């Protein structure tokens, strides 16, 4: 068990700067997920931790030991690859025990450890098969088993679920979480899927363009994004960004949006936003905070009349899209609320959950 | 328009279905017919070899139908296989081929691994060079090699001329470049993650090669081995140029220089000798056809 | 490259570890170099060195004691046999390669046409000429062409055709040599084309059928363009092998009658080894280089192109 520390990590391939200075402290037993769009440097970061990629600048420590120049086999890590990388000519048992054999672990112990790992992953009956006789989900389990038997200090996962179909992916996600709760090994997990990141992580690291945008628990990222990128990346469907202006409104503040009535800012936020008065900003509102209006309005909630253009029923809820100042805004209403394309609908906007983003810096104010 | 189309629609379609099926049947018959013709053309010489090998000298020079055996006999086979010279040719060929195959595979597997995976200065250039070397025919090299052997004798006193084992030194020039080239192709098609997984599992480079690459690329290894064997077994120019004594000859040269005595052709024995000489590659081909063909096409489709 | 990276990473405090990594890196490329060393040895001492050495040899006189410059070349240009060999080598290579390509393509199509479970058997039979060592199979042809007992002439006699002097007459000897070469080489084309045919996606044919293409248009607009690379690689490769051929001519005619079937390789053998004029032999074989170089360059280009497509 070990903590992992990255200090000012930089990686340059010939010309491309894949990673541009990353600082990250991962605590012992923590499950950390690196998430971000494709090409943002997640894999490169993970491979540097594994020792598969040389570090251009910076320091990596595992369990307090500087490992910049330590070869992968001596870093005491295990990695699960996107395409599993199972040895095609070996049985499942041999695949899982290969690393232990090379480390000259006693035969009985190998057997014990492999069987224990196979038990955890319920692949006991597959031990004699070859990888090509396994389904995608089973291969995934074997790849994890190969990591588990080694009892490493750190698990590294690189998009391990992206080759599975949607249903299996959800199932394996829970499986991975269960395994982590059982073995309690420090884990660094890479994915481009924010839902995977949110559901699995103790802490999520959002990356963009080779840099870290924000680090935090899933709820922190969801409720308090620091940047426009994080606000837009976390949450599905994505947050709406509506051009707006903040103005004084009696003793408080109001948000002026084209085509919409003034939206008063809740009193407890007024002080925070006062310096922004008179500036052109972006109003960030998640679809789930634009609901059908029913009954009396609570504090901080305003009602608007929306001309619904598109309706997308999802079963447990319905997405409605309506134009505001030239952009499409998404709201999330109950299926029985009766939104119809082309009709007007009263919607309640929960300004307690509003965000204001400065378009000049793309930071949340 | 629409009406006419409708009216004629049903009959034409029925006719069309029938005609497609008929076309297919005819195309198939035509294919089988021509394939049979080509098979006759391609298989006639070896079959004629076999027919002749079963004949007595008397029958060979008789005016009867040459395509039929009237008095089949194994005399030619018995005579050849009890003759020391022929067995020596066979032994020489076998020794040369087996040793050359072993050397070639050792050289090319290691080199291919280094070239496919351990990128180093000049490795891409070298891979291209290997392929170019493969394209240089032996007919361009035998004369300078002939002279070089004299130079070696003058310098070291080692006589390379007229020794069957000299072939062990020369044949790798014919086998190593192509074997390396196709092994580079096979190794390059192994996903990079596989050796990275092995690296994390704690394997050294040598262990990655022996425990992962060689087993995974086994079809390629078999194909390259077959290639090296057939080339060594069939080589004709080098032994013809560099060996003369009967006890140093390999099969192809042996059959041609000793069984053809002056103008007297003992065709029964020549055909028997040639057929037996062709047997090892043919037997390997019969059993490992898919690997053989994979090796043939690998040069252009892999790598 | 790697060294630069390391020095940048290296903080003074970790100087010891840096140099150990450097050592490791050096060790990795050392291992790689040692692994390729035998290959380099074979290529340089037994291929590259003799190739350049023959350039030197070609400038010596017969006893190899005196430098004669281009004297050997001048001598060759003045000899009628030399021009005969040039003509024959080109005729032989071009004709044989064209027919090998056509026959190979046709046979590959027929094999591709039949149900796939029978294909393996046919493919297996049709490749036999390529598997038999050419020196051995040419002996069978020599016997089929035998002046007194030719099995072909026996068949011809039955349809009332006069016996043909297969290897005795200039034109027939050339025909025979080319025929045997086609027989040996066509199966190789067949196998390569078959592999290429299998790699053309079936949907393309279905799409073209819906577009109303007939079988000839399908071959012309889909099959041939899709296979162009393999076709040219195979043809160029075969051109090299055919142009530099030795075994077939040597066994079948020995270059005769009257040198009318000699190729560069067989004539170089006759001149250099059998008549003992090594420089002149080296000189003759060097004339293969230009064509080989052109073909090799084109092959490399095509192989590179294929790499980019993938
Ligand atoms: N081996 C390499 N050589 C050159 N560029 C690379 C290499 N690996 C990755 N890159 C580049 O580095 C950037 C980050 O890649 P990566 O870490 O794989 O992104 P992702 O977040 O999708 O995993 C990309 O722009 C990619 O093109
Ligand atoms: Mg990635």
């Amino acid at each position: 068990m070990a903590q992992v520390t990255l200090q000012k990590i930089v990686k340059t391939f010939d010309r491309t700067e894949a990673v541009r200075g990353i600082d990250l402290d991962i605590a012992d037993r923590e499950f950390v997920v690196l998430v971000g769009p494709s090409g943002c440097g997640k894999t490169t970061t993970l491979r540097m931790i594994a020792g598969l990629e040389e570090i251009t600048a910076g320091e990596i420590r595992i369990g307090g030991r500087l490992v910049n120049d330590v070869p992968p086999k001596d870093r005491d890590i295990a990695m699960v690859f996107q395409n599993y990388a199972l040895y095609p000519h070996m049985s499942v048992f041999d695949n899982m025990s290969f690393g232990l054999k090379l480390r000259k672990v006693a035969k009985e112990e190998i057997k014990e450890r492999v069987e224990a790992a196979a038990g955890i992953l319920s692949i006991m009956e597959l031990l004699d098969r070859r990888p090509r006789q396994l389904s995608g989900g089973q291969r995934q389990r074997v790849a994890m088993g190969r990591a588990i038997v080694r009892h490493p200090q750190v698990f590294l996962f690189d998009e391990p679920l992206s080759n599975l179909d949607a249903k299996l992916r959800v199932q394996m996600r829970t499986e991975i979480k269960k395994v982590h709760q059982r073995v309690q090994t420090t884990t660094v997990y890479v994915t481009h899927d924010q839902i995977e990141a949110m559901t699995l992580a103790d802490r999520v690291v959002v990356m963009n363009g080779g840099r870290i945008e924000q680090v935090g628990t899933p709820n922190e990222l969801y409720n308090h994004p620091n940047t426009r990128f994080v606000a837009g990346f976390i949450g599905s469907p994505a947050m709406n960004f509506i051009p707006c202006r903040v103005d004084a409104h009696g003793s408080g503040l109001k948000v002026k949006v084209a085509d919409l009535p003034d939206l008063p800012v809740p009193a407890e936020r007024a002080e925070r936003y006062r310096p922004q008065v008179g500036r052109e900003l972006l109003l960030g509102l998640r679809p789930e905070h634009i609901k059908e209006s029913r009954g009396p309005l609570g504090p901080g909630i305003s009602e608007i009349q929306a001309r619904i253009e598109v309706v997308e029923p999802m079963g447990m809820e319905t997405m409605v899209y309506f134009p505001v100042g030239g952009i499409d805004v998404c709201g999330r209403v109950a299926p029985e609320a009766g939104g119809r394309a082309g009709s007007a609908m009263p919607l309640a906007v929960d300004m307690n959950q509003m965000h204001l983003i400065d378009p000049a810096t793309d930071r949340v104010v | 328009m629409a009406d006419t189309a409708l009216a004629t629609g049903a009959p034409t379609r029925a006719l069309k279905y029938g005609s497609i099926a008929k076309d297919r049947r005819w195309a198939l018959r035509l294919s089988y017919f021509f394939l049979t013709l080509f098979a006759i053309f391609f298989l006639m010489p070896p079959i004629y070899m076999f027919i002749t090998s079963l004949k007595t000298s008397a029958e060979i020079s008789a005016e009867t139908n040459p395509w039929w055996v009237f008095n089949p006999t194994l005399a030619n086979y018995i005579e050849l296989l009890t003759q020391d010279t022929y067995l020596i040719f066979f032994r020489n060929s076998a020794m040369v081929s087996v040793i050359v195959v072993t050397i070639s595979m050792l050289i090319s597997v290691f080199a291919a691994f280094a070239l496919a995976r351990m990128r180093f200065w000049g490795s891409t250039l070298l891979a291209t060079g290997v392929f170019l070397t493969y394209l240089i025919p032996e007919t361009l090299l035998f004369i300078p090699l002939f002279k070089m052997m004299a130079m070696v004798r003058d310098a070291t006193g080692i006589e390379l001329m007229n020794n069957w084992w000299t072939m062990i030194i020369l044949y790798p020039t014919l086998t190593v470049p192509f074997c390396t080239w196709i092994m580079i192709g096979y190794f390059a098609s192994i996903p990079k993650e596989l050796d990275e997984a092995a690296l994390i599992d704690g394997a050294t480079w040598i262990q990655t090669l022996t425990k992962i690459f060689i087993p995974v690329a086994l079809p390629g290894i078999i194909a390259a081995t077959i290639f090296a064997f057939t080339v060594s077994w069939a080589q004709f120019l080098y032994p013809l140029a560099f060996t003369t004594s009967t006890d140093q000859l390999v099969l192809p040269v042996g059959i041609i220089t000793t069984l053809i005595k002056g103008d007297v052709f003992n065709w029964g024995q020549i055909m028997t000798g040639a057929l037996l000489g062709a047997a090892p590659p043919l037997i390997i081909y019969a059993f490992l056809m898919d690997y053989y063909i994979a090796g043939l096409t690998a040069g252009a489709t892999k790598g | 490259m790697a060294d630069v990276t390391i020095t940048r990473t290296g903080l003074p405090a970790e100087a010891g570890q840096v140099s150990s990594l450097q050592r490791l890196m050096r060790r990795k490329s050392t291992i790689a170099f040692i692994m390729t060393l035998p290959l380099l040895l074979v290529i340089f001492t037994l291929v590259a060195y003799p190739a350049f050495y023959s350039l030197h040899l070609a400038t010596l006189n017969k006893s190899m004691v005196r430098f004669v410059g281009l004297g050997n070349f001048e001598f060759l240009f003045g000899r009628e046999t030399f021009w005969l060999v040039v003509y024959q080598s080109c005729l032989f290579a071009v004709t044989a390669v064209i027919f090998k390509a056509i026959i190979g393509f046709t046979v590959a199509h027929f094999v591709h046409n039949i149900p796939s479970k029978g294909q393996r058997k046919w493919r297996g039979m049709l490749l036999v000429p390529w598997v038999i060592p050419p020196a051995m199979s040419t002996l069978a042809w020599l016997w089929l062409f035998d002046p007194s007992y030719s099995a072909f002439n026996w068949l011809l006699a039955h349809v009332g055709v006069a016996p043909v002097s297969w290897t005795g007459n200039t034109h027939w000897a050339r025909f025979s040599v080319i025929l045997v070469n086609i027989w040996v080489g066509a199966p190789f084309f067949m196998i390569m084309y078959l592999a290429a045919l299998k790699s053309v996606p079936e949907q393309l044919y279905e799409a073209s059928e819906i577009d109303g293409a007939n079988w000839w248009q399908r071959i012309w607009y889909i099959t041939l363009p899709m296979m162009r690379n393999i076709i040219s690689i195979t043809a160029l490769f075969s051109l090299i092998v055919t142009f530099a051929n030795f075994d077939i001519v040597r066994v079948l005619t020995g270059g005769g009658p009257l040198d009318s079937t000699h190729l560069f390789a067989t004539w170089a053998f006759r001149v250099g080894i059998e008549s003992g004029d090594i420089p002149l032999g080296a000189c003759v074989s060097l004339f293969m280089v230009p064509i080989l170089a052109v073909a090799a360059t084109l092959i490399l280009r095509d192989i590179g192109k294929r790499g980019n497509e993938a």
Side-chain angles (χ1 to χ4, degrees), chain B residues 24 27-28 30-32 34-36 38-39 41-46 48-49 52 60-67 107 110-111 113-115 117-120 126 128-148 151 169-170 172-173 176-177 180-181 205-206 209 230 233-234 236-237 240-241 251-252 255-256 260 265 267 270-271 273-274 277-278 281-282 285 289-290 292-293 296-297 299-303, chain C residues 28-29 31-33 35-36 38-40 42-47 49-51 53-54 57 64 103 106-107 109-111 113-115 120-137 139-144 146 149-152 154-155 179 182-183 186-188 191-192 195 209 230 233-234 237 240 244-247 250-251 265 268-269 272-273 278-279 281-282 285-286 288-289 292 295-297 299-300 303 306-307:
Chain B
R24 291 250 162 90
L28 207 61
L30 210 67
S31 299
Y32 280 120
F34 280 107
L35 281 178
T36 311
F38 279 114
F41 172 56
F42 284 149
L43 293 179
M44 176 187 52
Y48 194 58
M49 268 173 160
T52 310
I60 285 171
S61 48
E63 284 285 316
T64 52
N65 179 353
W67 297 94
I107 295 180
F110 279 105
F113 182 71
L115 288 173
R117 277 305 199 265
M118 308 164 92
R119 303 250 149 227
F120 55 92
L126 184 56
T128 313
V130 166
F131 187 66
L132 272 184
T133 315
Y134 168 58
L135 296 180
I136 298 179
E138 73 269 26
T139 41
L140 197 63
L141 302 175
F142 71 101
I143 289 180
L145 284 170
F146 191 87
K147 179 74 175 81
M148 280 165 68
M151 284 160 53
I169 304 170
L170 294 179
T173 58
V176 166
T180 308
W181 177 253
W205 280 107
I206 292 295
L209 174 61
T230 27
W233 190 267
F236 180 60
L237 173 59
L240 186 69
L251 257 183
I255 292 169
I256 282 165
I260 301 174
F265 285 60
W267 280 112
I270 295 174
M271 287 299 105
L282 278 175
Y285 171 69
M289 186 170 94
D290 294 321
Y292 187 101
I293 289 174
L296 268 189
T297 48
T301 56
K302 255 192 184 334
Chain C
K28 185 187 149 191
S29 59
I31 293 172
F33 181 71
M35 283 167 107
T36 45
L39 171 78
L40 291 171
V42 168
I43 288 183
F44 281 104
T45 59
L46 294 172
V47 181
Y49 178 72
Y53 186 53
S54 70
L57 278 179
M64 286 177 282
I103 291 177
T106 318
V107 177
H109 256 279
F110 287 135
V111 174
N113 256 354
I114 65 174
R120 213 181 104 91
K121 195 179 64 191
W122 283 99
R123 200 181 54 171
M125 279 198 291
L126 296 168
L127 192 62
V128 164
W130 182 261
V131 180
I132 303 176
M136 311 280 175
S137 52
L139 275 176
W141 283 99
L142 185 62
W143 173 221
L144 282 164
D146 188 87
Y149 306 105
S150 171
F152 286 148
W154 185 85
L155 287 177
L179 178 72
I182 294 170
W183 178 82
F188 175 69
I191 283 298
M192 299 296 283
E209 207 157 346
I230 293 280
I233 290 176
T234 312
F237 175 76
I240 292 182
N245 180 275
F246 175 82
D247 302 10
R250 175 75 197 181
V251 175
F269 190 87
I273 308 285
I278 287 183
S285 61
L286 278 177
M288 286 190 278
V289 170
L292 298 182
T297 317
I299 290 182
L300 273 185
I303 288 212
R306 206 205 49 244

Side-chain angles (χ1 to χ4, degrees), chain A residues 185-206:
Chain A
T185 307
T186 313
T187 301
V188 185
Y189 184 106
V190 162
T191 178
H192 64 266
D193 178 354
Q194 53 100 14
I195 297 179
E196 219 171 284
M198 299 286 277
T199 50
L200 280 172
D202 293 328
R203 274 196 304 155
V204 177
V205 178
V206 182

Side-chain angles (χ1 to χ4, degrees), chain A residues 73 87 90 97-105 110, chain B residues 197-204 207-208 211-212:
Chain A
K73 67 180 164 95
Y87 308 123
M90 295 185 190
S97 59
F98 186 62
L100 298 176
K101 267 187 210 143
L102 291 177
R103 287 181 164 76
K104 308 235 162 20
V105 176
I110 291 182
Chain B
L199 200 64
I200 290 175
D201 268 341
T204 60
Q207 282 169 325
T208 309
K211 297 207 152 96
I212 310 288

Side-chain angles (χ1 to χ4, degrees), chain C residues 124-190:
Chain C
M125 279 198 291
L126 296 168
L127 192 62
V128 164
W130 182 261
V131 180
I132 303 176
M136 311 280 175
S137 52
T138 312
L139 275 176
W141 283 99
L142 185 62
W143 173 221
L144 282 164
F145 290 147
D146 188 87
S148 9
Y149 306 105
S150 171
F152 286 148
N153 285 344
W154 185 85
L155 287 177
L156 289 181
H158 272 254
V159 290
V161 177
V164 171
S165 173
W166 295 99
T167 55
N169 159 297
T170 297
H171 295 293
W172 279 112
R174 286 179 183 162
F175 170 84
S176 303
V177 164
I178 292 173
L179 178 72
V180 175
N181 203 287
I182 294 170
W183 178 82
V184 171
F188 175 69
F189 276 79
M190 187 264 301

Side-chain angles (χ1 to χ4, degrees), chain A residues 34-55:
Chain A
L34 305 185
V35 70
S38 158
C40 71
K42 310 176 296 281
T43 300
T44 309
T45 309
L46 195 75
R47 289 169 56 85
M48 285 192 285
I49 300 175
L52 296 173
E53 212 76 75
E54 260 183 76
I55 305 163

Side-chain angles (χ1 to χ4, degrees), chain A residues 349-361:
Chain A
V349 177
D350 186 353
M351 294 298 282
N352 297 310
Q353 310 282 352
M354 67 174 277
H355 301 279
L356 279 179
I357 294 142
D358 184 345
T361 59

Side-chain angles (χ1 to χ4, degrees), chain B residues 36-81:
Chain B
T36 311
L37 280 190
F38 279 114
I40 290 172
F41 172 56
F42 284 149
L43 293 179
M44 176 187 52
I47 290 175
Y48 194 58
M49 268 173 160
F50 180 64
I51 291 174
T52 310
S53 75
L54 297 177
K55 289 182 184 177
T56 58
S57 306
E59 190 178 337
I60 285 171
S61 48
E63 284 285 316
T64 52
N65 179 353
W67 297 94
W68 189 252
V69 192
F70 294 95
N71 301 303
T73 166
L74 289 176
N76 287 319
Y77 289 87
I78 293 167
E79 196 170 332
L80 267 191
L81 294 175

